[in-house]
Amino acid sequence: APPVGRWERWRRRLWNERTRPYFSAAALVLAAYNKPILAALGLGPLWYLWRTAGRRRGLEWMLGGALATLTVCGLSLALTPTPTAYLGVERQGVRVESFDRMPELPTTELGAATPDSGAAAPAPSLGPRLFGKLMNSWWWIFRRPDVDAHLLTNLGYFFVGRHTGLFLYSPFVLLCLGLFALDRGRSSARWVVLGSLAIVALFFLTLIPFNWHGGGGFVGNRYFVNALPGFLFLVRRIRPAWLPAVGFAVGGLFVGPLVFSPYGAIVPSPTLQSHTRNRSFQLFPLEQTIRGQIPGYRGYVGGSGIFFFGRTDLFRPVGDALWIAGGQPVRLDLRTEEPLRRPVFQVRTITAPNQIDLALGGSRRGTHFATTEPAGDTTRIVLEPRTPRVRKTLEGFPYYDYSLTVDAQHQSWYLEVIPTRNRKANRDAAAAAGTPRAGGIPVTGWEEQDLEMLVGAIVTYLGEEEELDWDLFAIDWLDVPELGTQTPGSTVQFRGRVRNASAHPWRAKGATRVALAYHLFDEQGERVEWDGLRALLPRDVAPGEAVDVTFEIAVPKRTGRFFVDFDAVREQVAWFSDRRPGSSVRRTLDVARPEP
């Protein structure tokens, strides 16, 4: 036999039949150091050693894990004040203002000296606590799991969810499970490995049902990805030989879009999840229970109380309306507290000709637009959806889930608004650019966002057909103050009081809410302003109830005597004075420049 060199002797001393259990446990400890539940994956090798090599080898494996844990924790104590960042130290987020300099933390959070006292200030608690322990640390794992109503639903998403599905993002897992099922020589140790993988999955699904996928920005389930190598130990042999080729070919339909365009897909509003726009991903369900945390999507609560959810590149809330991209069917998920019976949608086009179809719960209606003139660019569509089964939130509140599909054949008109956090500055900038109105549509209520999309339809939910037919156009003006003399161009506020004299409640929110406004006329009776500033109701007003409101009036810039007709309006429906002539109240407004 050839002589054995020095390095080979050292290798044999460090890596042999006796030392391998120690290294096996040490490798698992490195994975479980920041995710302690991964220690459950050690049940497989521990069971194998216990059954095949005896109790002593099993104890040696456990000893190797204990020594590795002490070593890692000792290094952490030498470098930081804690044995692990997850037991006793709370994580803190910072806002990155610029990529060319480090973010700055408040000095008091670092225990630095304050300007007033000159002494070091203790670092405050930066978050909520559970049982006296910081919730952002791993102390919260030492509690009983909460089995909520979404467990079975989340379990389905765990395997085949569009953004989290184990089989979609790790198709080799499905292949391993298939080979394991076809293998008639399955050992008890492999069953234990499969059980330990299930324990890790159920831990995330029950301990953190709100975050089992690993948080926003995920591609696949990033919490469970550390356990994926365990599936390889389920495979003993590959038969039939052609199965891997077929499995990886099918898996390529899902992994391919992710690999070849992971971050820079040339699509509107590209996100880490742009690959899910591939047709193969669209065949699988969207994770409804965690949809608010998926980047690339947005939720919008309309004034009517309905929650709309969809892709950011396909729909945008603008005031009470939803602007929908054209040229393709756009799906929006709806959540309501009460079932929809005969919902009414107002549909508007900004391009013609255009065919716009709406589908909701098995009911489908459409209309053809031949013009964009005000008389023919808007219509109303009444749908009759089926009532879905009742679902429940994590808190146990019932709700109904619907799917609304808007299909506009054509799209037109590109708008870009200067981004700013200052609403007034944005309005002024949009006005200076000549874009304060878009095709006759007031652009208000969205100044803090950019809007860059091709619009195919503008859809507004008006409410139930029965409620739209309510005759609520009766009002008592209890207290409307005199306006006196005001300065040209000013804006003044007045307190008033009105009573709901109808037999139906006034809604304070929603596209068809009731608001108070005014019409402005000059001395000759010529209209100066018809759509006056709105005075919003502080809450829903029941029949016979009185409520205080604050009126705001934009005073004309020219001097003279004017007449202000205070009126109520049901938005999108009618003015009260149109339905009940004489229901408005008039006040005189004198506009004069102040004496020098």
Side-chain angles (χ1 to χ4, degrees):
V4 178
R6 179 188 305 177
W7 296 111
E8 180 63 19
R9 287 197 300 270
W10 275 105
R11 188 193 69 80
R12 292 182 180 181
R13 290 178 183 177
L14 291 176
W15 183 259
N16 53 55
E17 189 69 21
R18 190 69 179 271
T19 61
R20 272 196 285 270
Y22 292 92
F23 284 105
S24 170
L28 184 60
V29 165
L30 293 177
Y33 178 66
N34 277 338
K35 295 291 183 289
I37 187 58
L38 294 180
L41 299 179
L43 294 175
L46 181 60
W47 175 266
Y48 174 79
L49 290 172
W50 206 286
R51 290 290 301 273
T52 60
R55 182 182 305 177
R56 179 177 177 180
R57 299 303 299 275
L59 293 176
E60 289 177 348
W61 186 90
M62 297 175 65
L63 178 61
L67 292 175
T69 301
L70 292 175
T71 301
V72 174
C73 292
L75 289 173
S76 180
L77 280 172
L79 300 174
T80 68
T82 177
T84 169
Y86 277 86
L87 295 176
V89 176
E90 187 174 11
R91 293 176 292 178
Q92 177 190 7
V94 297
R95 180 180 296 276
V96 179
E97 300 292 347
S98 174
F99 289 101
D100 58 359
R101 61 185 179 87
M102 290 292 293
E104 296 181 2
L105 291 175
T107 55
T108 55
E109 295 181 2
L110 300 177
T114 59
D116 296 334
S117 64
S125 174
L126 303 177
R129 292 174 175 263
L130 181 69
F131 306 125
K133 304 297 183 181
L134 297 172
M135 290 183 65
N136 274 348
S137 68
W138 269 97
W139 286 111
W140 56 264
I141 69 175
F142 301 107
R143 62 182 176 89
R144 185 175 61 185
D146 297 325
V147 180
D148 62 80
H150 292 162
L151 177 59
L152 293 179
T153 303
N154 286 340
L155 188 61
Y157 294 147
F158 178 85
F159 288 108
V160 293
R162 190 180 304 175
H163 298 82
T164 61
L166 181 65
F167 296 156
L168 276 65
Y169 292 91
S170 303
F172 82 91
V173 170
L174 183 60
L175 183 62
C176 291
L177 291 174
L179 291 171
F180 176 74
L182 294 174
D183 188 358
R184 297 182 179 180
R186 295 183 293 269
S187 64
S188 60
R190 286 181 169 81
W191 279 108
V192 174
V193 170
L194 184 61
S196 66
L197 290 166
I199 290 174
V200 176
L202 288 175
F203 172 86
F204 293 129
L205 290 170
T206 56
L207 266 293
I208 46 174
F210 50 88
N211 197 39
W212 54 268
H213 49 84
F218 52 88
V219 177
N221 190 333
R222 71 177 180 91
Y223 272 5
F224 193 71
V225 70
N226 303 289
L228 294 184
F231 287 95
L232 296 174
F233 292 90
L234 300 178
V235 180
R236 188 171 63 94
R237 60 181 181 177
I238 299 178
R239 288 185 181 178
W242 50 264
L243 188 60
V246 174
F248 281 101
V250 176
L253 297 176
F254 302 98
V255 179
L258 181 63
V259 172
F260 293 110
S261 60
Y263 307 115
I266 309 302
V267 294
S269 303
T271 69
L272 291 175
Q273 281 70 41
S274 63
H275 61 277
T276 60
R277 303 170 192 179
N278 183 275
R279 186 176 298 273
S280 56
F281 282 88
Q282 295 295 315
L283 299 175
F284 291 87
L286 176 68
E287 295 84 344
Q288 299 292 336
T289 57
I290 58 170
R291 55 189 177 185
Q293 303 180 51
I294 303 176
Y297 294 81
R298 71 157 45 88
Y300 168 70
V301 180
S304 56
I306 293 184
F307 177 74
F308 296 87
F309 182 82
R311 279 169 42 182
T312 56
D313 61 316
L314 296 182
F315 99 100
R316 178 84 50 133
V318 180
D320 296 315
L322 301 176
W323 292 26
I324 311 295
Q328 60 179 308
V330 177
R331 171 178 168 169
L332 299 178
D333 294 311
L334 277 63
R335 175 181 291 187
T336 67
E337 295 181 358
E338 299 292 337
L340 300 176
R341 294 177 176 84
R342 287 180 60 85
V344 181
F345 295 89
Q346 180 172 282
V347 181
R348 184 171 188 172
T349 185
I350 55 176
T351 181
N354 195 7
Q355 175 70 29
I356 301 177
D357 298 321
L358 269 63
L360 178 70
S363 177
R364 187 179 184 89
R365 298 286 188 277
T367 186
H368 180 78
F369 295 93
T371 178
T372 57
E373 295 299 321
D377 68 339
T378 304
T379 190
R380 290 184 178 181
I381 293 179
V382 182
L383 299 174
E384 300 181 62
R386 295 188 301 267
T387 301
R389 66 183 182 89
V390 181
R391 301 179 183 271
K392 288 188 177 181
T393 64
L394 288 175
E395 296 79 15
F397 297 107
Y399 68 92
Y400 299 85
D401 255 338
Y402 294 88
S403 176
L404 172 67
T405 301
V406 181
D407 188 359
Q409 291 185 358
H410 299 281
Q411 56 187 3
S412 178
W413 193 69
Y414 179 85
L415 173 69
E416 180 177 356
V417 171
I418 304 172
T420 177
R421 293 182 179 274
N422 188 314
R423 286 179 175 269
K424 184 179 185 304
N426 205 331
R427 283 196 297 268
D428 295 342
T435 58
R437 300 178 70 86
I441 305 163
V443 180
T444 59
W446 52 287
E447 293 87 354
E448 296 184 20
Q449 307 179 47
D450 291 328
L451 178 57
E452 301 177 359
M453 63 181 297
L454 293 172
V455 181
I458 300 176
V459 179
T460 306
Y461 173 65
L462 300 182
E464 290 287 340
E465 184 181 43
E466 178 184 1
E467 186 171 334
L468 282 178
D469 293 336
W470 285 352
D471 182 10
L472 47 73
F473 302 94
I475 184 172
D476 290 335
W477 301 91
L478 302 180
D479 182 17
V480 181
E482 297 295 336
L483 303 181
T485 303
Q486 303 295 333
T487 305
S490 62
T491 301
V492 293
Q493 290 184 343
F494 299 92
R495 294 285 291 176
R497 187 173 179 82
V498 297
R499 177 188 290 121
N500 180 0
S502 74
H504 301 282
W506 290 349
R507 304 297 186 194
K509 297 181 179 180
T512 60
R513 59 188 173 272
V514 172
L516 304 176
Y518 60 88
H519 316 301
L520 186 65
F521 302 89
D522 61 15
E523 284 188 293
Q524 289 72 37
E526 297 293 330
R527 180 190 297 178
V528 178
E529 173 65 54
W530 182 256
D531 268 340
L533 299 179
R534 299 301 198 254
L536 302 180
L537 299 176
R539 63 182 183 279
D540 290 352
V541 182
E545 182 183 2
V547 66
D548 294 325
V549 293
T550 300
F551 294 96
E552 189 175 38
I553 298 177
V555 179
K557 295 182 179 180
R558 57 188 174 94
T559 59
R561 170 160 290 187
F562 298 87
F563 300 102
V564 180
D565 287 356
F566 289 97
D567 199 354
V569 59
R570 189 177 188 187
E571 304 287 5
Q572 310 286 346
V573 179
W575 290 93
F576 279 37
S577 59
D578 290 339
R579 295 294 180 90
R580 276 190 168 84
S583 61
S584 60
V585 60
R586 173 165 288 193
R587 291 291 184 267
T588 302
L589 172 65
D590 291 319
V591 182
R593 300 189 183 280
E595 294 293 335

